[in-house]
Amino acid sequence: MNSLDVLLALPSVRLAALALLLGSIALPIVGVFIVGLDIMPVRFAMMHVALLGIAVGLLTGIDPLLCALVACALTGGALTPLARSPAGLSGAMGLLMTLAIAAALLVLSISGVNANGAFELLWGSILATRPGDVAALAALTVVVPMLYRIRRRDLALLLHDRELALCSGVAVDRLTLILLVVVAVAIASAIRLTGALLVDALTLLPALAARRVGSSLASMIRYSVLFGLAFNLGGFLLALLFDFPPGPTLVLVGGLCTLLLHAVPAFPIRRASTR
């Protein structure tokens, strides 16, 4: 039995692989939503809100991941009115990030809680994946594709042009609320795998690669899942084979593959259509 077989026989490695498999299905679709809505600053804010939730969980003894999920979901819902304002989300996200990280540090300081557990999630520890993390990702794997399947026409219109969606009778505010909550919860669910600072490996990199080769929202969704599975499972196997840290390895594999796709002239960049 070679070293890779030995590693794959370990329960922690199998659980991590399962979590990564589930995350590579749901999270790239969330990345397509982020790119389509042009709300990339939101993911940074959610990382800081998740850290605040983790700090509260460590203080109260409640599961930190559950606290992070709740904090991100509530914050995502509260951002909906800002999404339709002329100023957009960028300025508000800077304020939210500053307040969230300050509050997290204050909670950790006055409580005397060891901050190592909280800040470890900034860098990720995929081999420390727990059944609760897998359950959260499994729920996303069901909810996110179902949301796309049920609302694909409305999503295509909203991601293409907000004003066109409004004129077409789409309930834009409600759909935006749903998407922001889904994005926020997805970010919180993924931080165990790659860390909050490297969560783009699971969300944005497959979506950016899919945008390069996809000509419609449906094709972008399909390609994002395929790229997510290839980038992340391939990066995980590479990390196991060469004893590399998984988080940075996933990012580098996904990032380099995305750059290669953008360097190939045969794949012109296309905007997603509303069909």
Coordinates of all heavy atoms in Angstrom, one line a residue, residues 202-253:
L202 N -12.7 28.0 -3.6 CA -13.9 27.2 -3.7 C -15.0 28.0 -4.4 O -16.0 27.4 -4.9 CB -14.4 26.8 -2.4 CG -13.5 25.8 -1.6 CD1 -14.0 25.6 -0.2 CD2 -13.3 24.5 -2.3
T203 N -15.0 29.3 -4.4 CA -16.1 30.1 -5.0 C -15.7 30.8 -6.3 O -16.2 30.5 -7.4 CB -16.6 31.1 -3.9 OG1 -15.4 31.9 -3.5 CG2 -17.2 30.4 -2.8
L204 N -14.8 31.8 -6.2 CA -14.6 32.7 -7.3 C -13.7 32.1 -8.4 O -14.0 32.3 -9.6 CB -13.9 34.0 -6.9 CG -14.8 35.0 -6.2 CD1 -14.1 36.3 -5.9 CD2 -16.1 35.2 -7.0
L205 N -12.7 31.3 -8.1 CA -11.8 30.8 -9.2 C -12.6 29.9 -10.2 O -12.4 30.0 -11.4 CB -10.6 30.0 -8.5 CG -9.6 31.0 -7.8 CD1 -8.5 30.1 -7.2 CD2 -9.1 32.0 -8.7
P206 N -13.4 28.9 -9.7 CA -14.1 28.1 -10.7 C -15.1 29.0 -11.5 O -15.3 28.7 -12.7 CB -14.9 27.1 -9.8 CG -14.1 27.0 -8.6 CD -13.5 28.4 -8.3
A207 N -15.7 30.0 -10.8 CA -16.7 30.8 -11.5 C -16.0 31.7 -12.5 O -16.5 31.9 -13.7 CB -17.4 31.7 -10.5
L208 N -14.8 32.2 -12.2 CA -14.1 33.0 -13.2 C -13.6 32.2 -14.4 O -13.6 32.6 -15.6 CB -12.9 33.7 -12.6 CG -13.2 34.8 -11.5 CD1 -11.9 35.2 -10.8 CD2 -13.9 35.9 -12.2
A209 N -13.2 30.9 -14.1 CA -12.8 30.0 -15.2 C -14.1 29.7 -16.1 O -14.0 29.7 -17.3 CB -12.2 28.7 -14.7
A210 N -15.2 29.5 -15.4 CA -16.4 29.1 -16.2 C -16.9 30.3 -17.0 O -17.4 30.1 -18.1 CB -17.5 28.7 -15.2
R211 N -16.7 31.5 -16.5 CA -17.1 32.7 -17.2 C -16.3 32.8 -18.5 O -16.8 33.4 -19.5 CB -16.9 33.9 -16.4 CG -17.6 35.2 -16.9 CD -17.4 36.4 -16.0 NE -18.2 37.5 -16.4 CZ -18.1 38.7 -15.9 NH1 -17.2 39.0 -15.0 NH2 -18.9 39.7 -16.3
R212 N -15.1 32.3 -18.5 CA -14.2 32.4 -19.6 C -14.7 31.6 -20.8 O -14.6 31.9 -22.0 CB -12.8 31.9 -19.2 CG -11.8 31.9 -20.4 CD -11.5 33.3 -20.9 NE -10.4 33.3 -21.8 CZ -10.0 34.4 -22.5 NH1 -10.6 35.5 -22.3 NH2 -9.0 34.3 -23.3
V213 N -15.3 30.4 -20.5 CA -15.7 29.5 -21.5 C -17.2 29.3 -21.7 O -17.7 28.8 -22.7 CB -15.1 28.1 -21.3 CG1 -13.6 28.1 -21.2 CG2 -15.6 27.5 -20.0
G214 N -18.0 29.9 -20.8 CA -19.4 29.7 -20.8 C -20.1 30.8 -21.7 O -19.6 32.0 -21.6
S215 N -21.1 30.5 -22.4 CA -21.8 31.5 -23.2 C -23.2 31.8 -22.7 O -23.9 32.6 -23.2 CB -21.9 31.0 -24.7 OG -22.6 29.7 -24.7
S216 N -23.7 31.1 -21.6 CA -25.0 31.4 -21.0 C -24.9 31.1 -19.5 O -23.9 30.5 -19.1 CB -26.0 30.5 -21.7 OG -25.8 29.1 -21.4
L217 N -25.8 31.5 -18.8 CA -25.8 31.2 -17.4 C -25.8 29.7 -17.1 O -25.1 29.2 -16.2 CB -27.0 31.8 -16.7 CG -27.1 31.6 -15.2 CD1 -25.9 32.1 -14.4 CD2 -28.4 32.2 -14.6
A218 N -26.6 28.9 -17.9 CA -26.6 27.5 -17.7 C -25.3 26.8 -17.9 O -24.8 26.0 -17.2 CB -27.7 26.9 -18.6
S219 N -24.6 27.3 -19.0 CA -23.3 26.7 -19.3 C -22.2 27.1 -18.2 O -21.4 26.4 -17.8 CB -22.8 27.1 -20.7 OG -22.6 28.5 -20.8
M220 N -22.4 28.4 -17.7 CA -21.4 28.8 -16.7 C -21.6 28.0 -15.4 O -20.7 27.7 -14.7 CB -21.7 30.3 -16.4 CG -21.1 31.2 -17.5 SD -21.4 33.0 -17.1 CE -20.6 33.2 -15.5
I221 N -22.9 27.7 -15.1 CA -23.1 26.9 -13.9 C -22.5 25.5 -14.1 O -21.8 25.0 -13.2 CB -24.7 26.7 -13.7 CG1 -25.3 28.1 -13.3 CG2 -24.9 25.7 -12.6 CD1 -24.9 28.6 -11.9
R222 N -22.7 24.9 -15.2 CA -22.1 23.6 -15.5 C -20.6 23.6 -15.4 O -20.0 22.8 -14.7 CB -22.6 23.0 -16.8 CG -24.1 22.6 -16.9 CD -24.4 21.8 -18.1 NE -24.1 22.6 -19.3 CZ -25.1 23.3 -19.9 NH1 -26.3 23.3 -19.4 NH2 -24.8 23.9 -21.1
Y223 N -20.0 24.5 -16.1 CA -18.6 24.6 -16.1 C -18.0 24.9 -14.8 O -16.9 24.5 -14.4 CB -18.1 25.7 -17.1 CG -18.1 25.2 -18.6 CD1 -18.8 25.9 -19.6 CD2 -17.3 24.2 -19.0 CE1 -18.8 25.5 -20.9 CE2 -17.2 23.7 -20.3 CZ -18.0 24.4 -21.2 OH -17.9 24.0 -22.5
S224 N -18.7 25.8 -14.0 CA -18.2 26.1 -12.7 C -18.1 24.9 -11.8 O -17.1 24.8 -11.0 CB -19.0 27.2 -12.0 OG -20.3 26.7 -11.6
V225 N -19.1 24.0 -11.8 CA -19.0 22.8 -11.0 C -17.9 21.9 -11.5 O -17.1 21.3 -10.7 CB -20.4 22.1 -11.1 CG1 -20.3 20.8 -10.3 CG2 -21.5 23.0 -10.4
L226 N -17.8 21.7 -12.8 CA -16.7 20.9 -13.4 C -15.3 21.4 -13.0 O -14.5 20.6 -12.5 CB -16.8 20.8 -14.9 CG -18.0 20.0 -15.4 CD1 -18.1 20.2 -17.0 CD2 -17.9 18.5 -15.1
F227 N -15.1 22.7 -13.1 CA -13.9 23.3 -12.7 C -13.6 23.2 -11.2 O -12.5 23.0 -10.8 CB -13.8 24.7 -13.2 CG -13.6 24.9 -14.7 CD1 -14.3 25.9 -15.4 CD2 -12.8 24.1 -15.4 CE1 -14.2 26.1 -16.7 CE2 -12.6 24.3 -16.8 CZ -13.3 25.3 -17.4
G228 N -14.7 23.4 -10.5 CA -14.5 23.3 -9.0 C -14.1 21.9 -8.6 O -13.2 21.8 -7.8
L229 N -14.7 20.9 -9.2 CA -14.3 19.5 -8.8 C -12.9 19.3 -9.3 O -12.1 18.7 -8.5 CB -15.3 18.5 -9.5 CG -16.7 18.5 -9.0 CD1 -17.6 17.7 -9.9 CD2 -16.7 17.9 -7.6
A230 N -12.5 19.7 -10.5 CA -11.2 19.4 -11.0 C -10.1 20.2 -10.2 O -9.1 19.6 -9.8 CB -11.1 19.8 -12.5
F231 N -10.3 21.5 -10.0 CA -9.3 22.3 -9.3 C -9.1 21.8 -7.8 O -8.0 21.6 -7.4 CB -9.8 23.8 -9.2 CG -9.9 24.5 -10.5 CD1 -10.4 25.7 -10.6 CD2 -9.4 23.9 -11.7 CE1 -10.5 26.4 -11.9 CE2 -9.5 24.5 -12.9 CZ -10.0 25.8 -13.0
N232 N -10.2 21.6 -7.1 CA -10.1 21.4 -5.7 C -9.8 19.9 -5.3 O -8.9 19.7 -4.5 CB -11.5 21.8 -5.0 CG -11.7 23.3 -5.1 OD1 -10.9 24.1 -4.9 ND2 -12.9 23.6 -5.5
L233 N -10.4 19.0 -6.0 CA -10.0 17.6 -5.7 C -8.6 17.3 -6.3 O -7.8 16.6 -5.6 CB -11.0 16.6 -6.4 CG -12.4 16.7 -5.8 CD1 -13.3 15.7 -6.5 CD2 -12.4 16.4 -4.3
G234 N -8.2 17.9 -7.4 CA -6.9 17.8 -7.9 C -5.9 18.4 -7.0 O -4.8 17.9 -6.7
G235 N -6.2 19.6 -6.5 CA -5.3 20.3 -5.6 C -5.1 19.5 -4.3 O -4.0 19.5 -3.7
F236 N -6.2 18.9 -3.8 CA -6.2 18.2 -2.5 C -5.3 16.9 -2.7 O -4.5 16.6 -1.8 CB -7.6 17.7 -2.1 CG -7.7 17.1 -0.8 CD1 -7.2 17.7 0.3 CD2 -8.3 15.8 -0.7 CE1 -7.3 17.1 1.6 CE2 -8.4 15.2 0.6 CZ -7.9 15.8 1.7
L237 N -5.4 16.2 -3.8 CA -4.6 15.1 -4.1 C -3.1 15.5 -4.2 O -2.2 14.8 -3.7 CB -5.0 14.3 -5.3 CG -6.3 13.5 -5.2 CD1 -6.7 13.0 -6.6 CD2 -6.2 12.4 -4.2
L238 N -2.8 16.6 -4.8 CA -1.5 17.1 -5.0 C -0.9 17.4 -3.6 O 0.3 17.1 -3.3 CB -1.5 18.4 -5.8 CG -0.1 18.9 -6.3 CD1 0.6 17.9 -7.2 CD2 -0.3 20.2 -7.0
A239 N -1.7 18.0 -2.7 CA -1.3 18.4 -1.4 C -0.9 17.1 -0.6 O 0.1 17.0 0.2 CB -2.3 19.2 -0.7
L240 N -1.8 16.1 -0.7 CA -1.5 14.8 0.0 C -0.2 14.1 -0.6 O 0.6 13.6 0.2 CB -2.7 13.9 -0.2 CG -4.0 14.2 0.5 CD1 -5.1 13.2 0.2 CD2 -3.8 14.4 2.0
L241 N 0.0 14.1 -1.9 CA 1.1 13.5 -2.5 C 2.4 14.1 -2.1 O 3.4 13.4 -1.8 CB 1.0 13.5 -4.0 CG 0.1 12.4 -4.6 CD1 -0.2 12.7 -6.1 CD2 0.6 11.0 -4.4
F242 N 2.5 15.4 -2.0 CA 3.7 16.1 -1.8 C 3.8 16.8 -0.4 O 4.7 17.6 -0.1 CB 3.9 17.2 -2.8 CG 4.1 16.6 -4.2 CD1 3.1 16.6 -5.1 CD2 5.4 16.2 -4.6 CE1 3.2 16.0 -6.4 CE2 5.5 15.6 -5.9 CZ 4.5 15.6 -6.8
D243 N 2.8 16.5 0.5 CA 2.8 17.0 1.8 C 2.8 18.5 1.9 O 3.5 19.1 2.7 CB 4.0 16.4 2.6 CG 3.8 16.6 4.1 OD1 2.6 16.7 4.6 OD2 4.8 16.7 4.9
F244 N 2.0 19.1 1.0 CA 1.8 20.6 1.0 C 0.6 20.9 1.8 O -0.3 20.1 2.0 CB 1.6 21.0 -0.5 CG 2.7 20.9 -1.4 CD1 2.5 20.8 -2.8 CD2 4.0 20.8 -0.9 CE1 3.5 20.7 -3.7 CE2 5.1 20.7 -1.8 CZ 4.8 20.7 -3.2
P245 N 0.6 22.2 2.3 CA -0.6 22.6 3.0 C -1.8 22.7 2.1 O -1.7 23.3 1.0 CB -0.2 24.0 3.6 CG 0.9 24.4 2.7 CD 1.7 23.2 2.3
P246 N -2.9 22.1 2.4 CA -4.0 22.0 1.4 C -4.6 23.3 0.9 O -4.8 23.5 -0.2 CB -5.1 21.2 2.1 CG -4.3 20.4 3.2 CD -3.2 21.3 3.6
G247 N -4.8 24.3 1.9 CA -5.4 25.5 1.5 C -4.7 26.3 0.4 O -5.3 26.6 -0.6
P248 N -3.5 26.7 0.6 CA -2.7 27.4 -0.4 C -2.6 26.5 -1.7 O -2.6 27.1 -2.8 CB -1.3 27.6 0.2 CG -1.6 27.6 1.7 CD -2.7 26.6 1.9
T249 N -2.5 25.2 -1.6 CA -2.3 24.4 -2.8 C -3.6 24.5 -3.6 O -3.5 24.6 -4.8 CB -2.1 22.9 -2.4 OG1 -0.9 22.9 -1.5 CG2 -1.9 22.1 -3.6
L250 N -4.8 24.4 -3.0 CA -6.0 24.5 -3.7 C -6.1 25.9 -4.5 O -6.5 25.9 -5.6 CB -7.2 24.4 -2.8 CG -7.4 23.1 -2.0 CD1 -8.7 23.2 -1.2 CD2 -7.5 21.9 -3.0
V251 N -5.7 26.9 -3.8 CA -5.7 28.3 -4.4 C -4.8 28.3 -5.6 O -5.1 28.8 -6.7 CB -5.4 29.4 -3.4 CG1 -5.3 30.7 -4.1 CG2 -6.5 29.4 -2.3
L252 N -3.6 27.8 -5.4 CA -2.6 27.9 -6.5 C -3.0 27.1 -7.7 O -2.9 27.5 -8.9 CB -1.2 27.4 -6.0 CG -0.5 28.4 -5.0 CD1 0.8 27.8 -4.5 CD2 -0.2 29.7 -5.8
V253 N -3.5 25.9 -7.5 CA -4.0 25.0 -8.6 C -5.1 25.7 -9.3 O -5.1 25.8 -10.6 CB -4.4 23.6 -8.1 CG1 -5.1 22.8 -9.2 CG2 -3.2 22.8 -7.6

